[in-house]
Amino acid sequence: MIANELARYASSLIERELSAEVIHAAKRCVIDTLAAIICGAVHPPATLMVEALDEELDHGNSQLVPSRRLAPARTAALINGAAAHAMEVDDIFRDAIYHPGPPVIPAALAICQGKGYNGGQFLRAVIAGYEVSNRVGAAMQPTHYDYWHTTGTIGTIGAAAAVSVALGLDADQTKNALANSVTMAAALQQAFSSDSMGKPIHAGHASEAGATAAMLAEKGVTGADGMFEGPRGFGNAMSRDVDWQAVLDSLEAEFTICRMTQKNHTCCGHTFAAIDAVLALKEAHGVGPDDVAAMTVGTYAKGVEICGNPDPKTLYEAKFSLEYVMAAALLTGRVRFAAFADELLGDPAMRANMMKVSCHVDEASEAAFPNRRSAIVTMTTTSGETFEHYSPTRKGDPDSPLSDGELEDKFRELTEPVIGVEAAEALRQRVWVLDGLDDLGALIG
């Protein structure tokens, strides 16, 4: 049974020797996800969740990030998980169309803080959560993504695997945690269709539900057989023709955490290849907004379906608008938080440049999806010249990764406005030595 084999693998990570490369990759994921939590914690839905769940706070041994307000582990996982996905800056496992950081890392952190575990145990839990869920997520695609938000579904499994390893569960207990996490997994893509807070809540729910499944398994709660591969199991209910044997065959082949995507822009990842192309054309040809008459972008179908929005009404919708982010790249030369200021959304120059953009499905980009996220942008100038740039991948993807320095620059940009320069620098330093940190309660400072 699939759950048994995944559980054996996950529990083996409790004591397996791990390479410096794998440990370093895990630290990169932690620093990136902490940045996402910190900048998301001061915005809805996280701020509203703190109000709504007030009676659950100020006791327990886990912490909300960055306030360090005490909470039971499940509540901390829920709120921190939602915060991590709120600002669209979280990491991606490209093959699975999945953000593992928001469900996995808050769950592992909450349990390890709550139990007084050290940084090394935390990193092993993170690695287990990524390795199990990344593989399951990739196997479920592409049809799973027709209706389901992978971060909310697959993320539940990742959180369960992470917390199982954090708690030191044996293979049988971990199998029960994974089996029950599967039946607790749900997150519908309809949440993407309008400006709502449902999408980040998916990540928080996945973190909490997966943690719950593992906590229950520790005390003897059992899960059903065949929850992944059975006739009414996860694969058949939420996908088609899943090759479960390939998942098992891959377990010893690599550590997927070593090929994560860390976002270089603060919006939906489906827009990144197009943004990269606009920035490349802008730099190569010295063009500005007044020089451009039209831009067309060809990318994969899901990118057009989710992000083809020529008239975003809110800043949330703007993050899912190819037209908006391409115009922002042309106007500002950078698509980070400043590109999503209130005054820019209705700015006449922004609106005029958005009207220059048209989107279509590019056959080559569609054929490469989901293993590559590509786009081709054609720019026509007011003088009649035509320039074209093909982005075969995205800056930040494993074949064009952010350096440690670039990742740290992103971390500073996202965290310093919230916690200040000194606190951000201290946190940055602590993450790089996590495997030597005895007290995770002191991680945030």
Side-chain angles (χ1 to χ4, degrees):
M1 290 180 292
I2 303 306
N4 297 69
E5 296 303 317
L6 292 175
R8 281 194 198 97
Y9 172 79
S11 61
S12 77
L13 295 175
I14 295 172
E15 296 185 350
R16 179 184 297 196
E17 184 174 348
L18 299 171
S19 71
E21 178 189 16
V22 172
I23 295 295
H24 185 76
K27 291 175 181 176
R28 281 172 57 92
C29 293
V30 171
I31 198 169
D32 202 40
T33 300
L34 286 175
I37 297 172
I38 288 168
C39 70
V42 293
H43 295 278
T47 52
L48 302 179
M49 294 169 77
V50 168
E51 292 181 25
L53 302 176
D54 180 71
E55 66 181 16
E56 298 182 26
L57 302 178
D58 301 319
H59 60 90
N61 297 310
S62 305
Q63 298 173 358
L64 300 187
V65 177
S67 69
R68 300 186 68 195
R69 192 172 177 184
L70 291 178
R74 292 169 59 207
T75 306
L78 172 66
I79 297 174
N80 289 337
H85 197 47
M87 303 304 288
E88 298 292 334
V89 294
D90 41 338
D91 64 7
I92 301 167
F93 185 58
R94 185 173 58 184
D95 297 8
I97 326 176
Y98 167 48
H99 302 274
V104 169
I105 289 175
L109 180 62
I111 291 297
C112 288
Q113 285 182 331
K115 297 289 187 178
Y117 297 155
N118 62 40
Q121 291 168 296
F122 169 55
L123 286 172
R124 286 179 178 273
V126 168
I127 293 164
Y130 273 62
E131 294 307 317
V132 169
S133 60
N134 283 351
R135 287 174 165 83
V136 173
M140 293 286 287
Q141 301 302 359
T143 53
H144 184 69
Y145 202 61
D146 287 344
Y147 296 100
W148 302 99
H149 179 202
T150 320
T151 303
T153 54
I154 304 300
T156 311
I157 300 164
V163 174
S164 294
V165 167
L167 292 172
L169 303 191
D170 62 26
D172 189 57
Q173 292 171 309
T174 303
K175 172 261 177 183
N176 289 325
L178 294 177
N180 281 332
S181 75
V182 168
T183 202
M184 298 164 76
L188 291 167
Q189 278 207 25
Q190 187 65 30
F192 296 11
S193 66
S194 60
D195 188 353
S196 81
M197 301 176 196
K199 187 173 183 283
I201 289 174
H202 290 170
H205 171 263
S207 193
E208 178 196 26
T212 299
M215 293 164 72
L216 296 177
E218 183 186 31
K219 302 303 180 185
V221 174
T222 59
D225 293 338
M227 287 302 300
F228 287 88
E229 76 279 15
R232 291 178 176 82
F234 192 52
N236 287 324
M238 293 188 179
S239 187
R240 291 194 298 273
D241 303 320
V242 179
D243 187 349
W244 292 114
Q245 188 58 48
V247 173
L248 302 185
D249 291 345
S250 74
L251 288 174
E252 301 300 335
E254 65 165 337
F255 280 89
T256 61
I257 200 167
C258 294
R259 54 183 183 92
M260 295 300 301
T261 294
Q262 270 90 29
K263 284 188 170 185
N264 194 40
H265 311 297
T266 58
C267 49
C268 178
H270 292 310
T271 68
F272 284 15
I275 295 170
D276 291 343
V278 173
L279 294 177
L281 289 170
K282 185 178 173 69
E283 181 178 358
H285 302 288
V287 292
D290 295 338
D291 303 313
V292 176
M295 292 190 290
T296 64
V297 55
T299 190
Y300 48 91
K302 271 294 177 183
V304 175
E305 175 190 328
I306 293 172
C307 298
N309 180 2
D311 187 25
K313 299 293 196 301
T314 67
L315 292 175
Y316 176 85
E317 291 180 2
K319 292 185 177 187
F320 292 82
S321 168
L322 278 161
E323 293 85 349
Y324 183 94
V325 299
M326 289 173 66
L330 188 62
L331 279 165
T332 69
R334 187 174 172 87
V335 187
R336 291 277 177 94
F337 284 155
F340 300 97
D342 287 325
E343 60 272 16
L344 201 57
L345 181 64
D347 182 75
M350 171 61 79
R351 289 288 163 175
N353 279 279
M354 286 169 59
M355 292 177 65
K356 300 174 183 177
V357 180
S358 60
C359 311
H360 66 274
V361 176
D362 174 67
E363 290 184 6
S365 296
E366 176 63 12
F369 180 80
N371 294 328
R372 281 186 179 271
R373 310 296 170 79
S374 56
I376 184 166
V377 169
T378 302
M379 183 181 288
T380 303
T381 69
T382 53
S383 61
E385 294 180 287
T386 299
F387 305 125
E388 187 174 274
H389 184 86
Y390 172 60
S391 296
T393 188
R394 304 171 296 190
K395 176 66 175 174
D397 272 340
D399 32 23
S400 183
L402 299 182
S403 67
D404 286 352
E406 289 171 326
L407 190 63
E408 289 177 326
D409 285 344
K410 174 187 171 184
F411 173 83
R412 294 185 184 97
E413 182 174 342
L414 302 189
T415 60
E416 287 178 357
V418 180
I419 63 175
V421 173
E422 290 185 9
E425 176 59 17
L427 176 57
R428 183 194 66 80
Q429 292 182 18
R430 281 192 290 270
V431 172
W432 289 128
V433 295
L434 254 177
D435 39 346
L437 190 66
D438 290 330
D439 180 13
L440 279 173
L443 176 62
I444 306 302

